[in-house]
Amino acid sequence: MPKRILMDHDGAIDDLLSQLLVLTMPDAELIGVTVTPADCYIEPALESTYKLLQLMGKEEIPLGRGDYYGINAFPSEWRARPEIINALPMLINLPKSPDPYAYPSAPELIIDRLSAAKEKVTVLMTGPCSNLVLALEKAPELKGKIDEIVWMAGAFRTTGNVQTYQHDGSAEWNVFWDPVSSQKLVSYELPLTLIPLDVTNHVPVTKQFLSTLATQIDYKLSNLTGQLWALTLDTIPSYHYTYFMWDILATSYLAMPDYFTTELVKANVSTRPPNAGQTYLDDQGYVVKIATDVNTGYFYDYLLSQFKQ
């Protein structure tokens, strides 16, 4: 029986790569995708999301539009990347996408998909958690339909990646965008697995990986993913950051959990400056599972294999 996956992402390059990766997994059934307007502008991100479904022959999978805007906005230059993605040669001439204003709201779609599910659902989040929290606040009885939440979020024993005014650098962006919803989600004590910077810092997008991927260019997905990853080299100026496989690593957890080292901890989330969005270990906090390490060689080989289709 395939694992039923409900995905919420926020439209950035690594989110869209993650969506493609889910669609290559033989033991996963993607039952819906919602998009949060965090690391994207929502209209082009919905277009990118739909085009990738088209490319994989899965355009019947329903999409939901996030209309909630978080507390701390991502930089606008990061959010504009889907415009470039939609112009890539493999995507630009695909049939026209639906009206981006015609989609149901993201919380509505989450409620619909969970309500209709006959088996428990795994929720994969590669952006902020706001849509899921909004859905569960409206329909708290649906918490029982969730088998596991896998979320790329947090930084526990390492520094964060938020560099902005009135912040001490301790937070990770997906949590920082909406610290209040993040704190609520942790407090629910659902089966929550966080893939934080502690482990994503082990998997940078390297020129060596891109070079190896390029040897597979005759395969459609290797060609497209190689183009997408190449776009990341200037997405975030290298003097500030290295681009890591944040969301892709979290997504790979669905298929290779045994290759991760995880730990049950008690944790909490700060909702106020100067450390808004910081995820921290707290003996009085809430039980979550966090990933601390991964077999990096197996992970890179897994990606090369999955995109050789």
Side-chain angles (χ1 to χ4, degrees), residues 99-129:
D99 177 359
Y101 298 97
Y103 292 113
S105 79
E108 284 175 9
L109 185 68
I110 291 170
I111 290 170
D112 174 76
R113 297 282 79 195
L114 290 177
S115 298
K118 292 182 171 54
E119 293 87 20
K120 287 192 173 185
V121 172
T122 297
V123 179
L124 170 66
M125 296 189 300
T126 58
C129 66

mmCIF file of all heavy atoms in Angstrom, residues 99-129:
data_model
loop_
_atom_site.group_PDB
_atom_site.id
_atom_site.type_symbol
_atom_site.label_atom_id
_atom_site.label_comp_id
_atom_site.label_asym_id
_atom_site.label_seq_id
_atom_site.Cartn_x
_atom_site.Cartn_y
_atom_site.Cartn_z
ATOM 1 N N ASP A 99 -6.362 29.173 -13.914
ATOM 2 C CA ASP A 99 -6.386 30.484 -13.269
ATOM 3 C C ASP A 99 -5.897 30.344 -11.826
ATOM 4 O O ASP A 99 -6.484 29.589 -11.044
ATOM 5 C CB ASP A 99 -7.831 31.007 -13.290
ATOM 6 C CG ASP A 99 -8.004 32.352 -12.587
ATOM 7 O OD1 ASP A 99 -7.009 32.883 -12.053
ATOM 8 O OD2 ASP A 99 -9.147 32.845 -12.558
ATOM 9 N N PRO A 100 -4.837 31.048 -11.444
ATOM 10 C CA PRO A 100 -4.313 30.880 -10.085
ATOM 11 C C PRO A 100 -5.274 31.328 -8.998
ATOM 12 O O PRO A 100 -5.106 30.970 -7.829
ATOM 13 C CB PRO A 100 -3.047 31.735 -10.079
ATOM 14 C CG PRO A 100 -3.234 32.722 -11.183
ATOM 15 C CD PRO A 100 -4.035 32.010 -12.229
ATOM 16 N N TYR A 101 -6.309 32.104 -9.370
ATOM 17 C CA TYR A 101 -7.285 32.560 -8.392
ATOM 18 C C TYR A 101 -8.469 31.612 -8.260
ATOM 19 O O TYR A 101 -9.365 31.836 -7.448
ATOM 20 C CB TYR A 101 -7.769 33.968 -8.741
ATOM 21 C CG TYR A 101 -6.647 34.974 -8.703
ATOM 22 C CD1 TYR A 101 -5.993 35.348 -9.875
ATOM 23 C CD2 TYR A 101 -6.209 35.504 -7.497
ATOM 24 C CE1 TYR A 101 -4.935 36.246 -9.843
ATOM 25 C CE2 TYR A 101 -5.154 36.402 -7.457
ATOM 26 C CZ TYR A 101 -4.520 36.769 -8.629
ATOM 27 O OH TYR A 101 -3.464 37.637 -8.594
ATOM 28 N N ALA A 102 -8.474 30.541 -9.054
ATOM 29 C CA ALA A 102 -9.597 29.599 -9.036
ATOM 30 C C ALA A 102 -9.369 28.426 -8.089
ATOM 31 O O ALA A 102 -10.298 27.648 -7.843
ATOM 32 C CB ALA A 102 -9.846 29.076 -10.449
ATOM 33 N N TYR A 103 -8.182 28.299 -7.562
ATOM 34 C CA TYR A 103 -7.896 27.177 -6.665
ATOM 35 C C TYR A 103 -8.592 27.371 -5.315
ATOM 36 O O TYR A 103 -8.765 28.499 -4.859
ATOM 37 C CB TYR A 103 -6.390 27.053 -6.425
ATOM 38 C CG TYR A 103 -5.599 26.625 -7.632
ATOM 39 C CD1 TYR A 103 -4.701 27.489 -8.252
ATOM 40 C CD2 TYR A 103 -5.727 25.333 -8.157
ATOM 41 C CE1 TYR A 103 -3.965 27.097 -9.354
ATOM 42 C CE2 TYR A 103 -4.990 24.936 -9.262
ATOM 43 C CZ TYR A 103 -4.108 25.821 -9.856
ATOM 44 O OH TYR A 103 -3.383 25.430 -10.950
ATOM 45 N N PRO A 104 -8.929 26.272 -4.651
ATOM 46 C CA PRO A 104 -9.441 26.400 -3.281
ATOM 47 C C PRO A 104 -8.343 26.905 -2.355
ATOM 48 O O PRO A 104 -7.142 26.797 -2.669
ATOM 49 C CB PRO A 104 -9.853 24.974 -2.922
ATOM 50 C CG PRO A 104 -9.000 24.102 -3.796
ATOM 51 C CD PRO A 104 -8.835 24.865 -5.084
ATOM 52 N N SER A 105 -8.733 27.454 -1.219
ATOM 53 C CA SER A 105 -7.728 27.891 -0.259
ATOM 54 C C SER A 105 -6.976 26.674 0.264
ATOM 55 O O SER A 105 -7.517 25.564 0.345
ATOM 56 C CB SER A 105 -8.368 28.653 0.899
ATOM 57 O OG SER A 105 -8.939 27.758 1.833
ATOM 58 N N ALA A 106 -5.724 26.887 0.619
ATOM 59 C CA ALA A 106 -4.885 25.784 1.074
ATOM 60 C C ALA A 106 -5.475 25.073 2.303
ATOM 61 O O ALA A 106 -5.561 23.838 2.322
ATOM 62 C CB ALA A 106 -3.473 26.287 1.345
ATOM 63 N N PRO A 107 -5.905 25.811 3.355
ATOM 64 C CA PRO A 107 -6.497 25.099 4.497
ATOM 65 C C PRO A 107 -7.735 24.284 4.111
ATOM 66 O O PRO A 107 -7.931 23.179 4.623
ATOM 67 C CB PRO A 107 -6.843 26.230 5.472
ATOM 68 C CG PRO A 107 -5.891 27.329 5.124
ATOM 69 C CD PRO A 107 -5.741 27.250 3.638
ATOM 70 N N GLU A 108 -8.544 24.816 3.193
ATOM 71 C CA GLU A 108 -9.726 24.064 2.746
ATOM 72 C C GLU A 108 -9.327 22.759 2.081
ATOM 73 O O GLU A 108 -9.944 21.708 2.308
ATOM 74 C CB GLU A 108 -10.545 24.906 1.759
ATOM 75 C CG GLU A 108 -11.365 26.016 2.376
ATOM 76 C CD GLU A 108 -12.040 26.868 1.307
ATOM 77 O OE1 GLU A 108 -11.994 26.487 0.116
ATOM 78 O OE2 GLU A 108 -12.586 27.922 1.665
ATOM 79 N N LEU A 109 -8.301 22.816 1.244
ATOM 80 C CA LEU A 109 -7.870 21.598 0.551
ATOM 81 C C LEU A 109 -7.290 20.593 1.543
ATOM 82 O O LEU A 109 -7.543 19.385 1.435
ATOM 83 C CB LEU A 109 -6.840 21.920 -0.534
ATOM 84 C CG LEU A 109 -6.446 20.700 -1.378
ATOM 85 C CD1 LEU A 109 -7.615 20.226 -2.234
ATOM 86 C CD2 LEU A 109 -5.231 20.975 -2.249
ATOM 87 N N ILE A 110 -6.525 21.065 2.524
ATOM 88 C CA ILE A 110 -5.978 20.164 3.539
ATOM 89 C C ILE A 110 -7.114 19.474 4.295
ATOM 90 O O ILE A 110 -7.098 18.255 4.512
ATOM 91 C CB ILE A 110 -5.055 20.933 4.497
ATOM 92 C CG1 ILE A 110 -3.779 21.377 3.757
ATOM 93 C CG2 ILE A 110 -4.694 20.082 5.715
ATOM 94 C CD1 ILE A 110 -2.909 22.341 4.538
ATOM 95 N N ILE A 111 -8.119 20.251 4.681
ATOM 96 C CA ILE A 111 -9.275 19.676 5.384
ATOM 97 C C ILE A 111 -9.979 18.643 4.505
ATOM 98 O O ILE A 111 -10.322 17.539 4.948
ATOM 99 C CB ILE A 111 -10.248 20.791 5.817
ATOM 100 C CG1 ILE A 111 -9.626 21.617 6.944
ATOM 101 C CG2 ILE A 111 -11.594 20.207 6.252
ATOM 102 C CD1 ILE A 111 -10.393 22.888 7.281
ATOM 103 N N ASP A 112 -10.165 18.983 3.234
ATOM 104 C CA ASP A 112 -10.844 18.077 2.305
ATOM 105 C C ASP A 112 -10.067 16.779 2.129
ATOM 106 O O ASP A 112 -10.634 15.679 2.176
ATOM 107 C CB ASP A 112 -11.014 18.763 0.954
ATOM 108 C CG ASP A 112 -11.581 17.830 -0.097
ATOM 109 O OD1 ASP A 112 -12.793 17.563 -0.046
ATOM 110 O OD2 ASP A 112 -10.807 17.357 -0.956
ATOM 111 N N ARG A 113 -8.777 16.883 1.929
ATOM 112 C CA ARG A 113 -7.952 15.696 1.670
ATOM 113 C C ARG A 113 -7.862 14.798 2.898
ATOM 114 O O ARG A 113 -7.916 13.577 2.799
ATOM 115 C CB ARG A 113 -6.551 16.108 1.217
ATOM 116 C CG ARG A 113 -6.481 16.875 -0.104
ATOM 117 C CD ARG A 113 -6.622 15.965 -1.326
ATOM 118 N NE ARG A 113 -7.988 15.588 -1.604
ATOM 119 C CZ ARG A 113 -8.337 14.591 -2.417
ATOM 120 N NH1 ARG A 113 -7.403 13.855 -2.990
ATOM 121 N NH2 ARG A 113 -9.584 14.327 -2.650
ATOM 122 N N LEU A 114 -7.691 15.407 4.071
ATOM 123 C CA LEU A 114 -7.633 14.603 5.298
ATOM 124 C C LEU A 114 -8.988 13.970 5.601
ATOM 125 O O LEU A 114 -9.068 12.807 6.013
ATOM 126 C CB LEU A 114 -7.169 15.466 6.475
ATOM 127 C CG LEU A 114 -5.708 15.913 6.471
ATOM 128 C CD1 LEU A 114 -5.430 16.813 7.672
ATOM 129 C CD2 LEU A 114 -4.754 14.724 6.469
ATOM 130 N N SER A 115 -10.053 14.732 5.391
ATOM 131 C CA SER A 115 -11.397 14.204 5.668
ATOM 132 C C SER A 115 -11.711 13.008 4.773
ATOM 133 O O SER A 115 -12.351 12.040 5.208
ATOM 134 C CB SER A 115 -12.447 15.296 5.453
ATOM 135 O OG SER A 115 -12.252 16.375 6.331
ATOM 136 N N ALA A 116 -11.284 13.083 3.527
ATOM 137 C CA ALA A 116 -11.617 12.033 2.556
ATOM 138 C C ALA A 116 -10.728 10.806 2.681
ATOM 139 O O ALA A 116 -11.071 9.741 2.153
ATOM 140 C CB ALA A 116 -11.503 12.591 1.140
ATOM 141 N N ALA A 117 -9.617 10.921 3.384
ATOM 142 C CA ALA A 117 -8.650 9.828 3.439
ATOM 143 C C ALA A 117 -9.186 8.663 4.270
ATOM 144 O O ALA A 117 -9.655 8.853 5.390
ATOM 145 C CB ALA A 117 -7.336 10.326 4.026
ATOM 146 N N LYS A 118 -9.091 7.466 3.698
ATOM 147 C CA LYS A 118 -9.524 6.267 4.428
ATOM 148 C C LYS A 118 -8.394 5.715 5.292
ATOM 149 O O LYS A 118 -8.643 4.986 6.252
ATOM 150 C CB LYS A 118 -10.019 5.216 3.443
ATOM 151 C CG LYS A 118 -11.322 5.617 2.752
ATOM 152 C CD LYS A 118 -11.816 4.538 1.809
ATOM 153 C CE LYS A 118 -13.219 4.833 1.301
ATOM 154 N NZ LYS A 118 -13.358 6.144 0.679
ATOM 155 N N GLU A 119 -7.162 6.008 4.932
ATOM 156 C CA GLU A 119 -6.007 5.643 5.749
ATOM 157 C C GLU A 119 -5.327 6.917 6.225
ATOM 158 O O GLU A 119 -5.551 7.999 5.676
ATOM 159 C CB GLU A 119 -5.002 4.805 4.945
ATOM 160 C CG GLU A 119 -5.505 3.429 4.539
ATOM 161 C CD GLU A 119 -6.270 3.446 3.238
ATOM 162 O OE1 GLU A 119 -6.083 4.427 2.475
ATOM 163 O OE2 GLU A 119 -7.064 2.521 2.982
ATOM 164 N N LYS A 120 -4.472 6.786 7.219
ATOM 165 C CA LYS A 120 -3.760 7.955 7.716
ATOM 166 C C LYS A 120 -2.816 8.517 6.659
ATOM 167 O O LYS A 120 -2.318 7.790 5.799
ATOM 168 C CB LYS A 120 -2.999 7.609 8.999
ATOM 169 C CG LYS A 120 -3.896 7.421 10.218
ATOM 170 C CD LYS A 120 -3.088 7.379 11.496
ATOM 171 C CE LYS A 120 -4.004 7.368 12.717
ATOM 172 N NZ LYS A 120 -3.232 7.449 13.980
ATOM 173 N N VAL A 121 -2.585 9.807 6.755
ATOM 174 C CA VAL A 121 -1.843 10.560 5.743
ATOM 175 C C VAL A 121 -0.543 11.080 6.336
ATOM 176 O O VAL A 121 -0.497 11.511 7.493
ATOM 177 C CB VAL A 121 -2.711 11.735 5.236
ATOM 178 C CG1 VAL A 121 -1.911 12.669 4.325
ATOM 179 C CG2 VAL A 121 -3.956 11.212 4.514
ATOM 180 N N THR A 122 0.515 11.048 5.535
ATOM 181 C CA THR A 122 1.774 11.701 5.896
ATOM 182 C C THR A 122 1.765 13.106 5.314
ATOM 183 O O THR A 122 1.510 13.283 4.116
ATOM 184 C CB THR A 122 2.982 10.922 5.351
ATOM 185 O OG1 THR A 122 3.013 9.632 5.962
ATOM 186 C CG2 THR A 122 4.284 11.643 5.661
ATOM 187 N N VAL A 123 2.025 14.096 6.147
ATOM 188 C CA VAL A 123 2.086 15.489 5.685
ATOM 189 C C VAL A 123 3.554 15.866 5.535
ATOM 190 O O VAL A 123 4.328 15.777 6.491
ATOM 191 C CB VAL A 123 1.388 16.436 6.673
ATOM 192 C CG1 VAL A 123 1.493 17.880 6.192
ATOM 193 C CG2 VAL A 123 -0.087 16.043 6.846
ATOM 194 N N LEU A 124 3.933 16.264 4.331
ATOM 195 C CA LEU A 124 5.291 16.735 4.047
ATOM 196 C C LEU A 124 5.241 18.241 3.884
ATOM 197 O O LEU A 124 4.498 18.760 3.047
ATOM 198 C CB LEU A 124 5.818 16.088 2.764
ATOM 199 C CG LEU A 124 7.131 16.667 2.213
ATOM 200 C CD1 LEU A 124 8.303 16.397 3.157
ATOM 201 C CD2 LEU A 124 7.415 16.108 0.819
ATOM 202 N N MET A 125 6.022 18.960 4.682
ATOM 203 C CA MET A 125 6.077 20.423 4.579
ATOM 204 C C MET A 125 7.511 20.850 4.321
ATOM 205 O O MET A 125 8.409 20.549 5.111
ATOM 206 C CB MET A 125 5.551 21.075 5.858
ATOM 207 C CG MET A 125 4.089 20.793 6.120
ATOM 208 S SD MET A 125 3.402 21.758 7.492
ATOM 209 C CE MET A 125 4.440 21.226 8.853
ATOM 210 N N THR A 126 7.703 21.566 3.211
ATOM 211 C CA THR A 126 9.025 22.089 2.886
ATOM 212 C C THR A 126 9.057 23.619 2.941
ATOM 213 O O THR A 126 10.046 24.230 2.555
ATOM 214 C CB THR A 126 9.490 21.593 1.502
ATOM 215 O OG1 THR A 126 8.541 21.998 0.511
ATOM 216 C CG2 THR A 126 9.618 20.074 1.494
ATOM 217 N N GLY A 127 7.975 24.201 3.426
ATOM 218 C CA GLY A 127 7.905 25.636 3.699
ATOM 219 C C GLY A 127 7.368 25.822 5.110
ATOM 220 O O GLY A 127 7.384 24.894 5.917
ATOM 221 N N PRO A 128 6.864 26.997 5.424
ATOM 222 C CA PRO A 128 6.255 27.218 6.737
ATOM 223 C C PRO A 128 5.015 26.347 6.953
ATOM 224 O O PRO A 128 4.443 25.797 6.007
ATOM 225 C CB PRO A 128 5.895 28.710 6.698
ATOM 226 C CG PRO A 128 6.859 29.304 5.720
ATOM 227 C CD PRO A 128 7.020 28.253 4.663
ATOM 228 N N CYS A 129 4.586 26.253 8.211
ATOM 229 C CA CYS A 129 3.520 25.317 8.587
ATOM 230 C C CYS A 129 2.148 25.979 8.696
ATOM 231 O O CYS A 129 1.186 25.345 9.151
ATOM 232 C CB CYS A 129 3.862 24.655 9.922
ATOM 233 S SG CYS A 129 3.889 25.802 11.338
#
